Every structure is written in structure tokens, then in C-alpha cells.
């Protein structure tokens, strides 16, 4: 029954660069049994994707599996298999669900054919039989109307549908081994939840062995049976998810688990644990333990490479000090004090800094020939519709929403990069102009922004010093000397050494770049900073440091944030107030700490339920939403959520725009369902804000 | 303050870089890559040699371009390494002197095209809107015409105009080939730079400059231009090779330099009828053209590869 | 798809108008006294005055332009000025046909060869065969047509009986089959240039497609390499080649101007050079307009083909 499908021992993978073999993966091992989902988790550069590519023997031309590697698949030696043998396995017994479904599908071949060719090849089916098989496969992944779908091209389908097709493609031959390489990474959380559910169900049904590669600990906890934590090409720890999440023995695992905000945790509870430094590059791996330069527990012996040990049945660890950690003799201090004072809700209220009322952006759509002939003009895209919100002095307003919610357009209108088509923006008591070019120097200085992508937010041809100096001289009118002095101060404030001023962005890591961008935003002494997904492109360990930094700077400078993110846990961690957006409208506003407490709007409820919680003992039950998200060109009438709402109460939701309901305490919900009924409906999904084992551990030891 | 946060991310190499060192390092690295590859290294050497000849040509050349003192149709030998043509002119001297003229004409023409094209491309790319739309369409339309055709027509017309000697029109007419090169390549350069600008414009550091209230000129030159330079260099090297090609073709067709100037294309045309008796008079200038264009193309390919690899 | 083609059609019309304006400015406005230029310095004042009236030069510029465009569209392209005065339209179209033959032979040779070479080089990227093809095509692309042309004439033609060195002697009455032997050398010259151009772009297209994720998907389906390449890669790599070939018409035409001159081939290109020599401005105008139309039609046809073959066009 629990037969081992895949056994990997001593796997090494190297890439040839400038006439040297660089060891990208060293001493890797794994055993996956039938019906089991094995997670591999790691940050960028950990080698997690390389490992699976090596296992299926699909490496780039300059890559190889090192001699001595053992890869055994159902008793067959894969490490030395010929290309012909591999071709027979690939797609038949070993299948891959890739990361980006859109680019993984051939753009100029109909999707039906792309799936059918697999069964024709491996199962030797004829055209008609293959077609039947594809239809069945599409039905299994809950694709509606499979017959018509066969004839579609990839670009005609939504992201969720493409992902389902890729899954159907991988499963159609009932493979023994299924490799999933970050299959949900670019999907919205509600779609991700549905796809994960599907994956879990199908793997159980198939009794296949699966490897799931991801950077997302929440997904691992919710989906996998066992997990391998990788760092810099090596296994740090492996075990069952229950063990590993409850009792991480490796300092790195501990750091990872504690660097992500738990649902319901806020900056006022405690600071996040951060992992300083950055992963080593392949060319300069540390001599001993690869984690030593960043490890808070590193001691002398760590200069020797630690062996991979088996502390218990089916548990692996690579650390010299695991026994001490197990016995609780050493611990990593999780800072209990957040540096952000806890305040009673009543005291959160302060004067309004930014007030937005009726803010609207309609993007005009070009008339088509059809429109010209009929003399009609097409409806505009209503990206943001009649939004009201306000940000208070020194506080954070979080704005959550999935893609297409209009949150970015909203922020761009406030900053003045996109011109609004309606509504007012009042900032510090002034009615501010539409476009940045028309705004006064003072407004520009007091309203700043931090962007999403640190790769792009700094000009690669200017030094860090030049980038930070510019707003000081331009907006505050400082002299060159004063500005240089101020640059040093700002760099220190974001925990960088002042000599960073002479460096260029390509010499910095992603996290360092984002700190420089933060220093630049703070340079002109702003009263409000718009943070547009500032941590979403960073690895979790780096993300924690940036979140802590933002929280601390806010306390010190009394700066307000409008914090935009698709990540519910991050928003609720940092924000005092949260607004939930969907299709250009706000549906719920409330205190950050209440976000995970019912009653809430049916959409918020779906979002919260879909969040993969990084705790295997708290299996989430996502509310299944259809992934058929309405286009902003053609918005639903009445309540815009009614096409997907699980609580829809009838015609009224389709016909009438729902009213705002005041729950008191500054909590507002826009729904036809009265609050008490909402509360009753949602008890089942309530997320207890209880401490989980690993969360407690942080506190005990800290 | 949180303890873990205090630890500064310090890089192992805390080398200090200053803007000047940075660009010197970048240039050295670029040259290393360029000469490190057989093909592009060879190309660069060829181009440099020709450049040297262009500067030293007047010194090296033993005879003046139109010195007809030697016997006609002399085979290559002592005194006349490349032989003489039908009029008794030293082919070696004429090829040497022609190097300078092709570098001046094609080089200056390219330079003007690159500068003007970059300016137009940066401006319309950054500005966007109706102006961009109109100019871009006009560029597309212009590019539907083959460059040689435009050059022929313009030069054909200009050739027949009479200007008072020394007037500014006459000066312009004298450098008409150079100006035509610039004219036909401005739109192409503009289009290429416009599309790079459109890409750079969306990057967040440009938005950061916008929300600081920077002026258009500052953003275009200080923020966008440096990122566009690599594309500009690739385009310039490519244009230069086309320009040499075009100048030579125009000379050959009799629409470029006028006799008796030592223009390579013109020399090929003048001497093609006497190929049977004096193949050298045709072969050397033809080989010079081919070699130089191959050299520039190899270099340009190399530059493109380096720039693309850098991403 | 319809929308895409409609946009291309609009561009087609716009470009024609734009180029007609450009040509008008170049040949009518820029030169100043057009009649004087056409007739030369020796012509008498009364002759010049008469020509001015014939060309309508006494009218305002706008009227002149509209007249010219109108006449052109109606097929009245004017007459030559040296006697015997001939109908320009007749000459130009007759010469255009001859150039068309040359272009046809060139394309028939160049397209299959260059695509094959490009695909081979692309599939073998970085290998010996690729380096060889790339280096050769780079060298050939670097040689001006007159250099290759003269080389072929002087080395190949003089040493073989099969290829006549000169293409003179093809006149209005010659049929295609009669002319064919004389077409080989000029066509080969043009082919060399085109091969290099198309092969280089095809290679780039193949390399780009090979890097795409869907190729990985196809390989990991267990499909044999042959199927991956033919069914998945080439389909996507060759669709843009249609555009490349269409774009090469402009390239081909300028090449033909030089090649016709080298070989003494009486096509549109040598007519243009003669017209410039003779200061025959109306004829220059006619030649340029015909050329532009050919290029635009080629591009438009390519767009149509492209939109039929490429399913992604349907939505955009
Ligand atoms: S071996 Fe040492 S440095 Fe490495 S993780 Fe364990 S304690 Fe830290
Ligand atoms: S108004 Fe109706 S459709 Fe909208 S969220 Fe409430 S129940 Fe759902």
C-alpha cells in the first residue's frame, strides 16, 4: 500500500559556468510514497526548483546530476536513464504541473489538441478516443463545457482555467509521480484555494506520489504530508508537517516560520523574527554550515559542515546543535516587544490627514467599428468607482484586494500619477490637484510613495546617495553638504551603513534596495506614504525585516501609511484600519485586528477562509468561489459580488446596490444581509485568534 | 527596537564605488567582453585599423588623389602597391584617402542621425499621447520607403540645383550625402529609442521622479537616458554599418561623391569597365568596402550580444 | 481579426498619402524651378514657360498636389520630355514587370533556402553549424550588391557558358522564358543578400521560441524531439517570418536598383537611375509611387496571412 514511488539518495546537481562545475544542490535525499504529497520549501536561490528538475532529469544544457546520485523511480534507475527511456516516462508516469500556465501552453495550438497529443502518444489512443479522454479529464478538474473548451486557444481562457487545463494535462495519463512547481504562485488567493483543493482531491484519488515545490509555508501546511526545508542547495530539515511546524529543530526553519505574520497577528503584538543577511551565492558558499553567516546560534563548530542526521524516525536535520535545541538548552530569542506600543481602539482615532470622497476612475474604451456604425460608444472600464476613505495622522490604512480590484489605480490617483475622472482628494486640509505636475512642492514633499518592485524602484545608473539626496535638495531645498549629512542619517535609520551612499543598486540585495527606497520616501519628511505592495516581491525572511522597519519608522516619524497589498496577513499585521476592495468598490472597512473576526462581508469571509494558514493543525476550509471573475468592462448590477457570492439572498442582490451597515466601533459592511444574520452565518468559518504551538514557542523562548 | 532588525546587511565586499570608477569599470568590462570573443574582437580590430588609416591616410598616401603622373594601368608593384588606374592615378593612395572620406561621411551622418533620432525618440516616447501617435505613424510610413530610394531621389534633385558658391545652400549641397544619411536614419533611430523609452518609462524609478515633481527635461535626460544608452550604442553601430553600405552604393551609382574624388564606391564604378586589363583598380576599393562593413557588422553583433546578455 | 486588418488598411492608406506628399515635396517643392531643372540650363525661356503651364506650376501648391494625385490615380502619369515623347505610365509598368520577374526568381530561390538555413542555425545555436551559417550570412550581408555582382560577373560568368554576364537585350517584347537565362546571375546576387537577411531573423525567431516554457511542457510530455520542433516550435517561430519576408521587399527593391545597374538589366531600378540622370521628375514620381505601392501591398498581404495563421490576433 504505502509503496515507495521515488527514492532519491545523495543527489547532487551542478551547473557548468566559466569552465567550473558549480554545485547547485548538494547531498539531497527524499523518499515519496504513494498517495503522499511531499513539499519542498525554500526561498529564491535555495535550489528547490533545481532539485525537481534534477529528479526528472530535465536540466538545462549546462547542468548535470553528479556522479553517485541515486534516483530510483518504482525500482528503476533514473539517474542513468537514457533520453529514450526518459521520454517514455515523461508525460506518462511522471508529470509536471508548471508554474506559469499561460506560458506553459503553446499559444498557437488549441488546448484540446495539446492535451490529446499526450494520450495519443502514451496510451496509443485514436483521435476519437483521445477526445473522449480529454473531455473526461476536463470534467475531472471541474471545467465547465469541456466540448467547446477543446477548440479554444490558451489566450482565450482565464488564469484559473489555464491552470486547470495544465493540471488535467498532467493527470490524464494517471502518472505515478506528479511534480507541482509553484502552480498557484501567480493566482489570486481565492483562485489558489480552489485549485489547491482540487489538487489535494485528485492526488488522493489517483494515489500518486506528489512533490509540491513552493515558497509559501501556508500552502505546505495545508496541503502536504511531509516537507523538506531547503537553503542554499542543501536540506536543512525534513519531517512531517505536523512535527516540523510544531517543533522546528533547525534555526532556519524556526526563522522562516516566525518571520511570517500569522493571521490575526499585528505589529502591536510583537515584532516579526527576521533573518539577517542574504543567502550565499553559489560561487562563494561558506566553508562550514551554509547557514552559519545568518544563524543566530552559530558557534565555533559551525565552521565544520554539519552532517545530515536522523534525530527521530523519518526526521532529518542538518545542524550541529539540534540536540541542544531539542532539549531547549539554546533558543532563538523572538523579540516579544514590538517597538510599537499597544493602544486601545478608542485611542487609535486621530485627525484626518487624507480624505478621499467619491473618487472615480473610468478608463475610456476605444470605439470599435461596430460602435461607430451604430453610433454608440462602449462603456468605459470602471476601475475605481465612487470610493470614500480616509487616513489618519500617523496611522496605517490597509487596502486589500485581488487583482482587478482597482487598488493600484486608487493609489495612483491619490499620488497623482493617474488622473481621476471624478471625486475629491483632501490632503492636510488642502484640496489637492489632479496631477503631480500641478501640485505644490509642499504637497509633493508631504505625500510620498514606496513601490512594489525594488529591482525597478531605484535608477540603476545613480548611486544610492544620489537617489536619496535628490528629494532632499529638490523638495526641501537643502544644500549639497546638508543633504549628504542627511543621507547618512537616513541610511542609518533604515539599518544600512552610511557607506552605502556610494554604491550602485546592482551591488545591493533586494531587501537592501527596498530599504533604500524607503529611505528615499522618508527623505522629504512626508506625512503620508503610499506603500504599493512593498514586500510582495521579497522573500519571507527579508519581508519580515522590511515590515518591522516600516512599523518602527512609523512610530518614530509619526508618518501615516496607505498600505496596499493582496496579502491579507501582511495587511492585517501592519494596518490599524483595513478596507477591502472588490471590482473598484470598497465593501468593508474596519480595524485591522477585527479583520479575522466575524461578522464580515461575504467577500472578506471568502478571502479569509482562502488564506492558507501556516499551521497544519488548523486546516482551512476555503469557501469555494467561482474563479470566473467579472470583467471590469461589464460589471454586475446591484452588488458587484453577486455573481460569486455564496450567501446571495436573491433578486435584491442583483438589482440593488447594497447599503453600508454600521457595526459600531468604526466597522462598516456593505451588504444586503443584516449584521446579526451575517454573524450567524459565519460562525463556522471563524478563525480563532488563539496562539498556535509554534507561535507560543516563539513567546516562551523569547 | 527589535534585536534582529539591528543587524545590518553588510556585504562581504564593501568596495567603495564612485560614479567615475563605476563607469571606468563598466567600460573596461565591456571592452574585455568585446575583445574576448573571436568574432567581435576581430571586427573591432578591423574597424580600429581603418580608423587609424582614416586619420593617417593623408600621411601614408604617397600620391595626391588626383595625381596622374604615373603611367596608366600599371600592375601592382614597387612604387604602386595597388597599381594604377586608367588615368595613371595611384590606387593605393586613393584607397587610403577614401578611408577618410567614408568615415567622415558615414560617421558624421550616423552621428547626426543618432543624436537627433534619440532626442525625438526620447521625447515622443516619454510624452506619449497624440503627438507621439502622429509622429510614430509618420515614422512608420517613412520607413516603408527603402532608404536607398529616398537617398537617390533627394540627391538626384539636389544635384541639379544651382547655388551661389559659398552660400549656405551651396554648403549644404556639398555635404548632401552626409545629410541624406542623417535624414534616412533619424526615423529608424527614433523608433528604436522610442520603444526603449516606453519600456524604461514604466519603471518605478521614473515614477518616483515624477512624484518628486521633476521636470520633463530632468526625467528624460537624467532618469531615462542612461538606461537607453545601451540600446542606443547597439543601434548606432548598426546604423554606421548601413551608412557605409549606403555611401558606397550611392557612390557606385553615381549619385554620391562626384569624380574625381577618391570615393570607394565611385572608384569601383569607374574601374569596372577595365576589369579585364586592370583587375586591381576594381578589386582593392571593393575589398576595402567589404572588409570595413564586415568589421563593423562583427563589432555591432558583438555589442548587441553583450548588451542583451546584461539584460 | 477584422479589426486588426482594418487597422492595417488604415495604415496602408495613410502611408500612401504620406509618401505621395513626401514625393511631391521632394520633386516639386524642394527643387524650386522644376521646369528649368527638367529642361536643363540650355533651354530657352519660352520652352521653360510652356512646360510650367503643362505641369501646372503656375497654380498654388495645394492645387498642384491635388491635380497630380488625381491624375496619378486616374492613370495619367504624364509624358517624357525628350522627343519622342512617350507615355510614362507605359514605360514604368513595362519596366516594373521586368523587375517583377527578377524579384520573383529571387524570392523563389531565397525563401526556402534562407528559412532552412535559419532554422538549422537556430536549432543548433552555439554549435559549429550555427557559427558557420551565422558567419557566412553576416559576411554576405556585409557585401554591397555591386561587389557581389561584379564578383559574379567577372569570376563566374567569364568562366562559364551557362550564365551570361550581361542582362542587356531584354526589351519590351521579351517573354519571361526568353529572359530567364539572363535572370540567373542578377537573381543570385539578390538572393545572397536576402538569404542572409531572412536567415538571420529566422534563426533569432527559432532561438527565442526554443526558450519558451511551452517547449519545456512539450518535452516533458515525452514527445520526441522531432515532434517538439516541428509541431510546437516551428509553428510559432515561422509565423513572424511571414512579416520578415514582407519587410524584405523594401530591402529587395533597393538591392535591385543596384543590381540592375550592375548587370545593365532594364528594369524599374535602372529606369530610376536614368530618370534621375535625365532630370525626368514626373517619371521619378511615378517610379517611387509604384514602388511604395508594391511594398505596401506586400506588407498588407503578409498581415492578412499572419492574422489567419496566428490565433492570437483574433482577440487583440
Ligand atoms: S550548524 Fe551552527 S550555524 Fe548551522 S544552523 Fe546549526 S547552529 Fe546554526
Ligand atoms: S449584497 Fe448579496 S450578493 Fe452582495 S455580498 Fe451581500 S449577500 Fe452577497
Amino acid at each position: 500500500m504505502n509503496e515507495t514511488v521515488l527514492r532519491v539518495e545523495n543527489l547532487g546537481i551542478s551547473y557548468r559556468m566559466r569552465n567550473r562545475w558549480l554545485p547547485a544542490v548538494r547531498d539531497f535525499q527524499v523518499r515519496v510514497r504513494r498517495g503522499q504529497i511531499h513539499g519542498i520549501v525554500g526561498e529564491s536561490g535555495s535550489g528547490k526548483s533545481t532539485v525537481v528538475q534534477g529528479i526528472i532529469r530535465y536540466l538545462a544544457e549546462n547542468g548535470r546530476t553528479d556522479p553517485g546520485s541515486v534516483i530510483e523511480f518504482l525500482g528503476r534507475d533514473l539517474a542513468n536513464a537514457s533520453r529514450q527511456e526518459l521520454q517514455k516516462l515523461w508525460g506518462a508516469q511522471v508529470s509536471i504541473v508548471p508554474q506559469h500556465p499561460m506560458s506553459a501552453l503553446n499559444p498557437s495550438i488549441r488546448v484540446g489538441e495539446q492535451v490529446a497529443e499526450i494520450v495519443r502518444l502514451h496510451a496509443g489512443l485514436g483521435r476519437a478516443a483521445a477526445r473522449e479522454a480529454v473531455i473526461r479529464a476536463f470534467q475531472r478538474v471541474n471545467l465547465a463545457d469541456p466540448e467547446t473548451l477543446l477548440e479554444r486557444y490558451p489566450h482565450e481562457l482565464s488564469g484559473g482555467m489555464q491552470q486547470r487545463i495544465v493540471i488535467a494535462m498532467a493527470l490524464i495519463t494517471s502518472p505515478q509521480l506528479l511534480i507541482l512547481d509553484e502552480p498557484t504562485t501567480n493566482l489570486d488567493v481565492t483562485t489558489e484555494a480552489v485549485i489547491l483543493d482540487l489538487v489535494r482531491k485528485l492526488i488522493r484519488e489517483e494515489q500518486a506520489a506528489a512533490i509540491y515545490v513552493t515558497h509559501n509555508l501556508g500552502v505546505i501546511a495545508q496541503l502536504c504530508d511531509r516537507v523538506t526545508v531547503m537553503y542554499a542547495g542543501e536540506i536543512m530539515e525534513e519531517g512531517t508537517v505536523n512535527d516540523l511546524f510544531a517543533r522546528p529543530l533547525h534555526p532556519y526553519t524556526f526563522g522562516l516560520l516566525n518571520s511570517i505574520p500569522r493571521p490575526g497577528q499585528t505589529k502591536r503584538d510583537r515584532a516579526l523574527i527576521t533573518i539577517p543577511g542574504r543567502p550565499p551565492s553559489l560561487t562563494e558558499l561558506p566553508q562550514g554550515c551554509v547557514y552559519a553567516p545568518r544563524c543566530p546560534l552559530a558557534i565555533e563548530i559551525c565552521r565544520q559542515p554539519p552532517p545530515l542526521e536522523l534525530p527521530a524516525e523519518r526526521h532529518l536535520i542538518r545542524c550541529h546543535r539540534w540536540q541542544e535545541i531539542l532539549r531547549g538548552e539554546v533558543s532563538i530569542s523572538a523579540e516579544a516587544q514590538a517597538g510599537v506600543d499597544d493602544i486601545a481602539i478608542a485611542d487609535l482615532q486621530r485627525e484626518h490627514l487624507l480624505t478621499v470622497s467619491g473618487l472615480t476612475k473610468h478608463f475610456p474604451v476605444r470605439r470599435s467599428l461596430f460602435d461607430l456604425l451604430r453610433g454608440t460608444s462602449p462603456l468605459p472600464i470602471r476601475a475605481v468607482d465612487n470610493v470614500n476613505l480616509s487616513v489618519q495622522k500617523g496611522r496605517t490604512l490597509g487596502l486589500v484586494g485581488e487583482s482587478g480590484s482597482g487598488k493600484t489605480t486608487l493609489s495612483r490617483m491619490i499620488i497623482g500619477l493617474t488622473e481621476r475622472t471624478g471625486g475629491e482628494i483632501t490632503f492636510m486640509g488642502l484640496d489637492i490637484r489632479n496631477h503631480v505636475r500641478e501640485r505644490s512642492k509642499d504637497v509633493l514633499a508631504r505625500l510620498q510613495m514606496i513601490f512594489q518592485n525594488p529591482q525597478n524602484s531605484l535608477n540603476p545608473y545613480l548611486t544610492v546617495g544620489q537617489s536619496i539626496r535628490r528629494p532632499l535638495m529638490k523638495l526641501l531645498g537643502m544644500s549639497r553638504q546638508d543633504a549628504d549629512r542627511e543621507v547618512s542619517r537616513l541610511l542609518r535609520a533604515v539599518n544600512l551603513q552610511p557607506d552605502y551612499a556610494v554604491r550602485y543598486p546592482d551591488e545591493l540585495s533586494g531587501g537592501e534596495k527596498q530599504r533604500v527606497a524607503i529611505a528615499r520616501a522618508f527623505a522629504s519628511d512626508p506625512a503620508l506614504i503610499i506603500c504599493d505592495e512593498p514586500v510582495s516581491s521579497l522573500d519571507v525572511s527579508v519581508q519580515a525585516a522590511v515590515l518591522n522597519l516600516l512599523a518602527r519608522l512609523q512610530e518614530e516619524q509619526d508618518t501615516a501609511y496607505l498600505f496596499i497589498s493582496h496579502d491579507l496577513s501582511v495587511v492585517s499585521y501592519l494596518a490599524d484600519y483595513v478596507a477591502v476592495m472588490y471590482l473598484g468598490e470598497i465593501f468593508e472597512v474596519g480595524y485591522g485586528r477585527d479583520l479575522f473576526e466575524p461578522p464580515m462581508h461575504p467577500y472578506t469571509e471568502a478571502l479569509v477562509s482562502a488564506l492558507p494558514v501556516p499551521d497544519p493543525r488548523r486546516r482551512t476550509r476555503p469557501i469555494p468561489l467561482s474563479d470566473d471573475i467579472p470583467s471590469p468592462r461589464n460589471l454586475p448590477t446591484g452588488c458587484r459580488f453577486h455573481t460569486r457570492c455564496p450567501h446571495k439572498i436573491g433578486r435584491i442582490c442583483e438589482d440593488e446596490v447594497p447599503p453600508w451597515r454600521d457595526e459600531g466601533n468604526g466597522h462598516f459592511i456593505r451588504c444586503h444581509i443584516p449584521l446579526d444574520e451575517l454573524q450567524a452565518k459565519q460562525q463556522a468559518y471563524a478563525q480563532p485568534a488563539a496562539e498556535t504551538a509554534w507561535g507560543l514557542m516563539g513567546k516562551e523562548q523569547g | 527596537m527589535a534585536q534582529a532588525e539591528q543587524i545590518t546587511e553588510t556585504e562581504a565586499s564593501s568596495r567603495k564605488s564612485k560614479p567615475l570608477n563605476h563607469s571606468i569599470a563598466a567600460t573596461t568590462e565591456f571592452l574585455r567582453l568585446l575583445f574576448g570573443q573571436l568574432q567581435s574582437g576581430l571586427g573591432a580590430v578591423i574597424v580600429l585599423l581603418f580608423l587609424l588609416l582614416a586619420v593617417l591616410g593623408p600621411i601614408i598616401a604617397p600620391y595626391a588623389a588626383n595625381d596622374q603622373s604615373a603611367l596608366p594601368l600599371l600592375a601592382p608593384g614597387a612604387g604602386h602597391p595597388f597599381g594604377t588606374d586608367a588615368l595613371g592615378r595611384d590606387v593605393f593612395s586613393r584607397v587610403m584617402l577614401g578611408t577618410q572620406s567614408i568615415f567622415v561621411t558615414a560617421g558624421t551622418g550616423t552621428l547626426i542621425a543618432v543624436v537627433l533620432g534619440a532626442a525625438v525618440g526620447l521625447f515622443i516616447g516619454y510624452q506619449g499621447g497624440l503627438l507621439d501617435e502622429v509622429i510614430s505613424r509618420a515614422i512608420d510610413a517613412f520607413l516603408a520607403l527603402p532608404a536607398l530610394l529616398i537617398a537617390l531621389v533627394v540627391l538626384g534633385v539636389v544635384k541639379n540645383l544651382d547655388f551661389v558658391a559659398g552660400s549656405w545652400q551651396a554648403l549644404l549641397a556639398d555635404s548632401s550625402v552626409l545629410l541624406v544619411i542623417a535624414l534616412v536614419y533619424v526615423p529608424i533611430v527614433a523608433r528604436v529609442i522610442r520603444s526603449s523609452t516606453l519600456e524604461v518609462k514604466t519603471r518605478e524609478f521614473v515614477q518616483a521622479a515624477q512624484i518628486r515633481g521633476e521636470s520633463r527635461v530632468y526625467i528624460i535626460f537624467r532618469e531615462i537616458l542612461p538606461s537607453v544608452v545601451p540600446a542606443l550604442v547597439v543601434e548606432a553601430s548598426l546604423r554606421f554599418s548601413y551608412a557605409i553600405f549606403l555611401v558606397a552604393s550611392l557612390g557606385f551609382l553615381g549619385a554620391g561623391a562626384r569624380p574625381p574624388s577618391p570615393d570607394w564606391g565611385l572608384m569601383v564604378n569607374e574601374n569596372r569597365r577595365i576589369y579585364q586589363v586592370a583587375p586591381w583598380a576594381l578589386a582593392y576599393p571593393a575589398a576595402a568596402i567589404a572588409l570595413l562593413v564586415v568589421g563593423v557588422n562583427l563589432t555591432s553583433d558583438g555589442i548587441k550580444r553583450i548588451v542583451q546578455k546584461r539584460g | 481579426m477584422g479589426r486588426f486588418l482594418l487597422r492595417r488598411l488604415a495604415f496602408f492608406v495613410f502611408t500612401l498619402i504620406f509618401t505621395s506628399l513626401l514625393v511631391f515635396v521632394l520633386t516639386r517643392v524642394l527643387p524650386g524651378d522644376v521646369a528649368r531643372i527638367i529642361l536643363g540650363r540650355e533651354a530657352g525661356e519660352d520652352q521653360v514657360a510652356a512646360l510650367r503651364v503643362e505641369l501646372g506650376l503656375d497654380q498654388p501648391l495645394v492645387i498642384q498636389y491635388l491635380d497630380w494625385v488625381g491624375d496619378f490615380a486616374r492613370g495619367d502619369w504624364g509624358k517624357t520630355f525628350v522627343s519622342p515623347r512617350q507615355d510614362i505610365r507605359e514605360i514604368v509598368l513595362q519596366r516594373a514587370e521586368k523587375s517583377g520577374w527578377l524579384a520573383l526568381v529571387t524570392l523563389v530561390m531565397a525563401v526556402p533556402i534562407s528559412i532552412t538555413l535559419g532554422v538549422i542555425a537556430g536549432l543548433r545555436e552555439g554549435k559549429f553549424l550555427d557559427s558557420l551559417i551565422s558567419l557566412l550570412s553576416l559576411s554576405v550581408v556585409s557585401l554591397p550588391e555591386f561587389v557581389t555582382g561584379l564578383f559574379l560577373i567577372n569570376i563566374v560568368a567569364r568562366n562559364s557558358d551557362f550564365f551570361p554576364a550581361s542582362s542587356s537585350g531584354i526589351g519590351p517584347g521579351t517573354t519571361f522564358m526568353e529572359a530567364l537565362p539572363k535572370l540567373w546571375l542578377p537573381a543570385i546576387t539578390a538572393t545572397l543578400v536576402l538569404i542572409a537577411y531572412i536567415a538571420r531573423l529566422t534563426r533569432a525567431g527559432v532561438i527565442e521560441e526554443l526558450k519558451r516554457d511551452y517547449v519545456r511542457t512539450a518535452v516533458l510530455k515525452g514527445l520526441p524531439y522531432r515532434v517538439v520542433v516541428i509541431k510546437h516550435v516551428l509553428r510559432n517561430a515561422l509565423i513572424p517570418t511571414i512579416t520578415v519576408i514582407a519587410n524584405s521587399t523594401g530591402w529587395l527593391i533597393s538591392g535591385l536598383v543596384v543590381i540592375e545597374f550592375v548587370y545593365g538589366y532594364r528594369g524599374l531600378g535602372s529606369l530610376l537611375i536614368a530618370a534621375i540622370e535625365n532630370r525626368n521628375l514626373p517619371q521619378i514620381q511615378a517610379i517611387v509611387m509604384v514602388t511604395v505601392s508594391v511594398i505596401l501591398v506586400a506588407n498588407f498581404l503578409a498581415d492578412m496571412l499572419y492574422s489567419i495563421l496566428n490565433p492570437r490576433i483574433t482577440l487583440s
Side-chain angles (χ1 to χ4, degrees), chain A residues 400-685:
Chain A
V400 257
E402 298 180 291
S403 49
S405 61
K407 57 190 192 304
T408 295
T409 309
L410 178 62
S411 70
R412 289 178 59 93
M413 279 192 283
I414 295 172
I415 200 77
L417 289 172
T418 297
E419 295 195 35
R420 53 187 187 252
T421 41
E424 261 116 65
I425 302 174
T426 319
F427 177 61
M428 299 173 70
L430 297 164
D431 189 8
I432 57 173
R433 310 298 292 269
N434 217 331
H435 199 273
V436 258
R437 274 199 285 278
E438 303 157 1
R439 294 184 181 174
S440 76
K441 230 183 201 178
D442 193 42
V443 170
L444 293 174
R446 307 303 305 266
L447 184 55
Q448 276 296 317
M449 181 152 180
I450 299 168
F451 297 91
Q452 170 172 9
N453 191 344
Q455 232 54 45
N456 276 342
S457 65
L458 300 176
N459 189 334
Y461 293 90
L462 296 179
T463 61
V464 164
Q466 286 170 322
S467 283
I468 304 179
R469 194 163 67 209
R470 185 68 192 174
L472 293 169
M473 294 168 67
K474 165 94 187 163
L475 293 175
L476 301 184
M478 281 193 189
S479 71
R480 176 72 190 267
Q481 284 79 11
D482 290 349
D484 277 339
R485 224 170 296 127
E486 183 66 9
V487 168
S488 302
R489 193 191 67 76
L490 284 162
L491 282 173
R492 271 196 213 95
V494 296
N495 297 333
L496 291 173
Q497 276 153 15
D499 68 358
Y500 270 59
V502 292
R503 297 203 188 176
Y504 281 90
D506 59 7
E507 299 168 52
L508 310 184
S509 70
E512 288 172 330
K513 279 182 205 158
Q514 199 59 308
R515 290 177 199 209
V516 173
I518 291 172
R520 180 181 59 190
F522 271 97
S524 57
D525 190 23
L528 172 66
I529 298 181
I530 295 177
C531 310
D532 186 5
E533 304 259 12
V535 294
S536 60
S537 56
L538 302 174
D539 274 323
V540 284
S541 64
V542 180
Q543 169 181 317
V546 172
L547 287 177
N548 283 348
L549 176 66
L550 285 172
R552 176 171 60 77
L553 287 173
Q554 178 164 55
E555 283 294 293
E556 288 170 11
Q557 313 275 324
D558 205 17
T559 309
Y561 296 147
L562 176 59
F563 188 91
I564 295 159
S565 180
H566 67 281
D567 186 333
L568 221 54
S569 340
V570 165
V571 167
S572 65
Y573 175 78
L574 203 69
D576 300 299
Y577 244 138
V578 174
V580 180
M581 259 187 111
Y582 180 74
L583 289 180
E585 284 182 341
I586 291 180
F587 279 88
E588 177 166 1
V589 186
Y591 288 104
R593 57 182 64 175
D594 294 342
L595 192 68
F596 293 90
E597 310 267 4
M600 45 194 156
H601 189 272
Y603 176 63
T604 316
E605 181 199 7
L607 276 184
V608 168
S609 77
L611 200 66
V613 185
D615 180 353
R617 285 172 305 173
R618 233 169 72 191
R619 289 273 150 135
T620 48
R621 276 153 298 161
I623 297 168
L625 286 192
S626 101
D627 50 2
D628 192 14
I629 299 158
S631 137
R633 277 165 194 260
N634 194 4
L635 291 168
T637 52
C639 171
R640 288 185 184 177
F641 188 52
H642 84 246
T643 54
R644 300 170 74 203
C645 179
H647 296 320
K648 187 176 152 187
I649 50 173
R651 285 306 300 261
I652 186 168
C653 296
E654 289 166 32
D655 297 340
E656 279 174 46
V657 176
W660 278 107
R661 297 186 188 274
D662 185 354
E663 202 242 353
N665 277 329
H667 189 178
F668 299 88
I669 293 177
R670 200 178 194 186
C671 178
H672 285 300
I673 305 179
L675 292 166
D676 43 344
E677 283 179 37
L678 267 183
Q679 185 144 30
K681 278 197 160 93
Q682 285 167 355
Q683 286 309 336
Y685 295 104

Side-chain angles (χ1 to χ4, degrees), chain A residues 53 56 58 61 83 87 90-91 96 100 103-109 113-114 117-118 120-122 153 155 169 181 366-369, chain C residues 3 6-7 127 212-225 227 231-233 235-236 239 309-315:
Chain A
Q53 284 167 9
I56 58 171
Y58 181 83
E61 218 156 278
R83 182 81 184 195
Q87 261 180 24
W90 287 342
I96 291 88
H100 306 285
S103 57
L105 290 168
N106 191 323
S108 58
I109 300 181
E113 169 58 20
Q114 295 193 50
E117 66 177 348
I118 305 175
R120 288 209 307 271
L121 177 78
H122 291 296
Y153 288 98
H155 67 269
M169 202 175 209
D181 188 1
R366 274 200 195 185
R367 288 169 139 209
S368 67
L369 183 72
Chain C
R3 193 165 184 177
L6 215 66
R7 239 187 358 246
K127 304 271 167 59
R212 302 227 185 253
D213 284 357
Y214 71 79
V215 176
R216 171 184 136 131
T217 312
V219 171
L220 290 178
K221 281 175 184 173
L223 297 174
Y225 182 69
V227 178
K231 181 169 174 181
H232 287 267
V233 178
R235 196 191 196 108
N236 289 298
I239 292 173
L309 292 181
N310 189 348
R312 271 167 292 180
I313 291 295
T314 45
L315 264 195

Side-chain angles (χ1 to χ4, degrees), chain C residues 94-109:
Chain C
Q94 187 264 327
R95 292 297 200 93
E97 187 194 354
K98 299 290 176 294
S99 289
W101 293 352
L102 195 48
L104 186 74
V105 177
T106 305
L107 284 174
V108 166
M109 288 197 288

Side-chain angles (χ1 to χ4, degrees), chain A residues 236 249-252 288-306 317-322 324-325 330:
Chain A
M236 294 290 106
L249 289 185
H250 196 284
Y252 178 62
C289 171
V290 283
Y291 188 55
R294 302 175 74 188
C295 180
L297 299 184
I299 50 172
E300 193 54 32
I301 191 179
C302 302
R303 290 173 196 256
Q304 310 294 325
I317 185 151
R318 192 192 299 276
C319 173
H320 288 298
R321 307 188 69 185
W322 67 267
E324 296 165 72
I325 297 172
V330 287

Side-chain angles (χ1 to χ4, degrees), chain C residues 6 15 41 44 54 72 75 79 81 91 99 111 120 126 138 148 176 196 198 212-213 246 302 315:
Chain C
L6 215 66
T15 309
R41 276 155 214 152
E54 184 185 330
F72 196 86
K79 285 193 178 349
F81 300 108
I91 307 176
S99 289
V111 171
I120 291 175
L138 185 83
T148 21
F176 180 69
I198 300 176
R212 302 227 185 253
D213 284 357
L315 264 195

